Amino acid sequence: MEKDFRDYSEDFKNYVDGLAKEHDREQQGVFTEVVLDFIRESGEIGDFEVLNFRRTGIQVNGFSIVEDNDLYALTLVISLHTRIAPPLVLRKNDWEPALRRAVSFYKKSIGGLYKALTTQSEVFELAKFIYDHHEQIHQLKIVLLTDGMARNVKLDETKTGIASVELQIWDMERLYRLLSSGKGREPVEFDILSKFGAGLPCLKMPLSNEIYEAYLLFIPGQLLADIYEEFGERLIERNVRSFLQMRGTNRGIRDTIINEPEMFVAYNNGISATSDRVEFEERKDGSLVLSKIHDFQIVNGGQTTASIYHTLKKKNDVSRINVQMKLTVIKDSKKLDEIVPRISAYANSQNKIQTDDFFANDPYHRKIEQFSRTIWAPATEGKQRQTRWFYERARGQYLDLKGRDKTRNARIQFDQTYPKSQLFTKTDLAKYINSWDQIPHIVSRGSQKNFLEFTKKISVMDVSKIEQDYFKDLISKAILFNGVSKRVHYKYRANIVTYTIAWLSYKTQQQIDLELIWRKQAIPASLEDVIDRVTDAAYRHIVDPPGGENITEWCKKEECWNQFRDMDVEIMLGI
């Protein structure tokens, strides 16, 4: 186990270093983004933005804001990237100043930090948001990311001056546990006895089978709210998590809780949940009392759960609320990833959640993954060895597969077959295609919002008709996207890249020779000068927003794209 951990930490370091080098990006920013992607997949954080802001006494490397009506949950991210493997145990004088810098950023933002920043500053919007809404921020969390080992780390409330801040730590040991668990997330262990003081009576499905067992029970609203407060989005099955992030508290649920709590069971459909194992006690009369649920996930009723929690947070009484729950226990853990999404989809089929909300195991992504493991890319000029492009359908697959190779030669072979420069994720894929499809203002809204927009496209696709040529064209778009990125050395690179790709796609009516790019595995030399001219034009356009508007917000508007789309750039489009 110790050797596996050392190997993983070394692989992780090389993974981050490789991505930073291939994409010509700053190390700490890549580290922050990679770890936050892991956390998002595990359910600990929603949509996030990566920053790299540090001044004397203040620092922030990322943030997440979850809105529910007029309440906000704010997460500030602070990174300690040591680049040392095997990892070292962090000392107090390593982590304590970092945590205090994050707290100081929050407090100074409340005091009007944004007034001392230009609108072009990457933290201007965050600092102003905190200033404008700090009275509505009901939950503040600081997430410490580090490739070291953070032990005995805690916030000293007397030094921070903030009693309600929550600290969460993701260090190399926790990342390793997450990967080696094989679940892609940290399981929720729901101990009913310790939280409620008594078990919950339940009724078992009369006819059992080899695949699953099912139980029916009622769970008190206060207990459900307490669990949600502790585990948050980890409690919600990942296929419907994006749905919840786009909607606030259900007004009907809230009104029932406040005005007619005794009618809640009659009016509400309850929740459906899954587990891989339960513990219960059997009473003398043969009835069952549920005492513990392992790997607890809500697959339908997340809106109900969140609404009860937020209604309670607004000082309303939920003591008279009970929620009916169907609990499905999957006996074969190997079938969890197959069965749980189906339960989730079928359970939600009567609600307004559309098919495109369920993408974790979507056939489209499995098809792309299959192609990426079987199709060899042409050898690049001057080389004999062919390679493959690795599609990381689920976060952590790349390191997981590489970690299965125990010998040094096998790891070298893996790196040669799947170079880090040819690794791409679901959110990368969405950026490549949406940029080519000429919606750079959507891409500029962030990886997760752009990905959600992309799911609408694949929800109406006939996956059975996707052939190898589709995958090859996709990789050509990836090569084009990455090639443009390497040639941009201005600030706002991400926005410039997507606007450049979209402009080229529009002006050429998508007639750029993708087959040539696939064969060469590179951008043709004839296109390089064109790209440089367009990126220059894109930069000049986006940094001059009307009325002195914030640049990043300007890039997110369709008006920004429409103006640039119609702009004439003095180039020869002989592509």
Side-chain angles (χ1 to χ4, degrees):
M1 178 63 74
E2 184 178 346
K3 182 179 184 300
D4 289 343
F5 175 64
R6 290 201 309 270
D7 289 342
Y8 172 73
S9 63
E10 184 67 37
D11 287 343
F12 186 87
K13 175 183 179 298
N14 293 335
Y15 175 75
V16 172
D17 288 350
L19 289 178
K21 181 179 179 181
E22 291 297 334
H23 297 286
D24 190 24
R25 293 180 55 196
E26 185 266 334
Q27 287 273 353
Q28 183 165 266
V30 173
F31 167 78
T32 302
E33 186 172 305
V34 167
V35 179
L36 284 176
D37 269 335
F38 273 101
I39 298 174
R40 181 183 57 78
E41 293 264 338
S42 73
E44 290 284 358
I45 195 171
D47 292 353
F48 61 84
E49 295 286 342
V50 175
L51 305 171
N52 188 24
F53 181 79
R54 182 169 178 177
R55 288 186 179 179
T56 303
I58 56 178
Q59 180 180 349
V60 62
N61 296 102
F63 70 95
S64 171
I65 299 172
V66 177
E67 178 183 359
D68 194 322
N69 290 341
D70 57 347
L71 291 179
Y72 299 92
L74 172 66
T75 299
L76 297 179
V77 178
I78 190 83
S79 294
L80 280 176
H81 186 209
T82 69
R83 297 186 63 197
I84 298 175
L88 302 176
V89 176
L90 297 180
R91 298 167 298 176
K92 185 175 182 179
N93 59 2
D94 293 321
W95 55 259
E96 186 177 56
L99 295 178
R100 295 182 68 179
R101 287 194 295 270
V103 171
S104 181
F105 173 82
Y106 178 74
K107 294 168 71 173
K108 287 183 180 296
S109 293
I110 292 177
L113 173 65
Y114 82 95
K115 298 175 183 178
L117 303 170
T118 65
T119 55
Q120 286 75 32
S121 171
E122 61 181 339
V123 296
F124 177 87
E125 289 295 323
L126 174 61
K128 190 173 188 306
F129 171 84
I130 295 173
Y131 177 82
D132 291 339
H133 300 95
H134 64 272
E135 293 184 356
Q136 288 80 46
I137 296 175
H138 73 96
Q139 184 181 67
L140 172 63
K141 182 186 297 183
I142 294 178
V143 177
L144 173 65
L145 311 180
T146 180
D147 55 348
M149 293 185 289
R151 297 169 180 171
N152 301 317
V153 176
K154 62 180 180 179
L155 276 173
D156 189 332
E157 294 177 5
T158 60
K159 291 184 178 180
T160 64
I162 302 177
S164 59
V165 64
E166 176 188 345
L167 173 64
Q168 186 179 112
I169 301 167
W170 282 85
D171 64 357
M172 192 52 57
E173 289 180 316
R174 187 173 182 183
L175 286 172
Y176 176 71
R177 288 196 302 269
L178 181 66
L179 180 68
S180 59
S181 72
K183 295 179 181 292
R185 55 183 168 78
E186 289 191 302
V188 172
E189 302 295 335
F190 175 17
D191 191 330
I192 300 170
L193 287 178
S194 64
K195 294 182 183 299
F196 189 55
L200 297 177
C202 61
L203 179 65
K204 185 178 180 180
M205 179 179 70
L207 299 176
S208 61
N209 56 64
E210 296 180 354
I211 301 175
Y212 73 96
E213 296 175 345
Y215 299 85
L216 299 177
L217 64 149
F218 288 93
I219 181 169
Q222 179 69 56
L223 177 58
L224 192 59
D226 290 344
I227 298 167
Y228 186 78
E229 182 172 40
E230 178 175 354
F231 297 109
E233 295 295 284
R234 282 175 58 195
L235 198 64
I236 311 302
E237 202 277 320
R238 54 191 168 198
N239 289 333
V240 296
R241 197 171 291 132
S242 61
F243 162 76
L244 291 176
Q245 290 169 1
M246 298 176 68
R247 293 154 172 85
T249 301
N250 184 293
R251 185 176 299 275
I253 295 175
R254 185 188 64 188
D255 290 346
T256 300
I257 294 172
I258 296 173
N259 302 318
E260 299 180 278
E262 71 281 356
M263 299 302 296
F264 192 87
V265 171
Y267 293 165
N268 189 269
N269 290 329
I271 63 178
S272 295
T274 62
S275 167
D276 65 2
R277 183 166 59 91
V278 294
E279 297 178 22
F280 53 81
E281 300 172 354
E282 187 171 351
R283 292 174 172 172
K284 293 181 180 180
D285 61 2
S287 61
L288 299 178
V289 177
L290 196 62
S291 59
K292 193 169 187 178
I293 307 176
H294 299 266
D295 197 2
F296 184 52
Q297 288 277 281
I298 293 176
V299 298
N300 176 247
Q303 193 72 66
T304 295
T305 304
S307 295
I308 292 173
Y309 168 75
H310 288 299
T311 302
L312 174 65
K313 281 298 178 180
K314 290 185 176 181
K315 311 300 182 182
N316 294 295
D317 182 21
V318 299
S319 62
R320 298 172 63 188
I321 300 300
N322 280 283
V323 184
Q324 63 266 42
M325 179 170 77
K326 180 186 74 173
L327 178 64
T328 302
V329 182
I330 312 299
K331 295 180 180 180
D332 186 350
S333 60
K334 295 180 181 179
K335 293 186 176 182
L336 274 172
D337 283 341
E338 173 188 351
I339 296 176
V340 172
R342 291 184 183 179
I343 296 174
S344 181
Y346 295 146
N348 287 284
S349 62
Q350 299 177 35
N351 297 331
K352 293 182 181 179
I353 304 178
Q354 303 300 320
T355 304
D356 54 283
D357 289 308
F358 302 94
F359 49 75
N361 291 281
D362 190 280
Y364 172 89
H365 295 291
R366 290 193 176 277
K367 190 75 171 279
I368 300 300
E369 179 185 43
Q370 176 187 351
F371 284 144
S372 79
R373 305 299 193 269
T374 56
I375 296 177
W376 290 96
T380 55
E381 187 174 343
K383 296 182 180 179
Q384 298 297 319
R385 179 182 293 274
Q386 289 183 276
T387 59
R388 288 179 176 144
W389 285 74
F390 190 101
Y391 181 51
E392 194 172 56
R393 180 180 59 82
R395 176 60 67 179
Q397 280 183 316
Y398 185 88
L399 288 176
D400 183 36
L401 287 177
K402 183 177 179 179
R404 296 178 188 179
D405 295 327
K406 299 302 181 183
T407 67
R408 184 173 181 273
N409 286 339
R411 288 168 181 262
I412 293 174
Q413 178 68 33
F414 182 90
D415 286 336
Q416 290 175 338
T417 302
Y418 300 107
K420 292 186 186 70
S421 59
Q422 294 174 195
L423 164 70
F424 65 109
T425 67
K426 296 191 297 293
T427 53
D428 292 330
L429 182 154
K431 286 188 290 186
Y432 303 151
I433 293 181
N434 280 352
S435 296
W436 180 259
D437 287 350
Q438 303 160 24
I439 48 174
H441 54 292
I442 301 296
V443 179
S444 294
R445 292 174 187 173
S447 294
Q448 299 311 311
K449 290 179 180 178
N450 178 59
F451 182 74
L452 289 175
E453 185 70 24
F454 176 70
T455 62
K456 297 176 183 178
K457 296 180 181 180
I458 64 175
S459 69
V460 297
M461 291 178 64
D462 184 350
V463 176
S464 66
K465 294 182 179 179
I466 296 178
E467 303 292 346
Q468 291 190 10
D469 285 345
Y470 177 92
F471 178 79
K472 292 177 181 179
D473 282 352
L474 167 62
I475 298 306
S476 296
K477 294 168 189 174
I479 293 170
L480 181 61
F481 190 98
N482 294 337
V484 172
S485 182
K486 288 181 179 180
R487 302 185 72 82
V488 176
H489 300 286
Y490 299 114
K491 196 176 180 183
Y492 310 108
R493 173 190 286 181
N495 307 110
I496 294 171
V497 171
T498 185
Y499 269 77
T500 296
I501 300 293
W503 191 92
L504 290 170
S505 173
Y506 176 76
K507 291 297 185 180
T508 63
Q509 298 182 327
Q510 296 189 331
Q511 294 304 305
I512 292 176
D513 193 343
L514 296 178
E515 183 180 357
L516 175 61
I517 294 176
W518 167 258
R519 291 199 310 268
K520 292 177 63 67
Q521 290 290 291
I523 295 175
S526 60
L527 190 54
E528 292 178 349
D529 181 61
V530 173
I531 289 171
D532 291 341
R533 290 176 182 266
V534 179
T535 56
D536 287 344
Y539 174 75
R540 290 194 301 271
H541 173 67
I542 68 173
V543 298
D544 187 28
E549 184 177 1
N550 178 266
I551 291 173
T552 54
E553 292 303 309
W554 167 236
C555 292
K556 298 174 184 178
K557 294 184 177 181
E558 189 172 5
E559 178 189 357
C560 180
W561 161 237
N562 289 340
Q563 289 184 15
F564 184 64
R565 179 193 63 194
D566 298 333
M567 186 180 297
D568 290 326
V569 180
E570 295 182 3
I571 59 176
M572 295 295 291
L573 285 174
I575 301 171

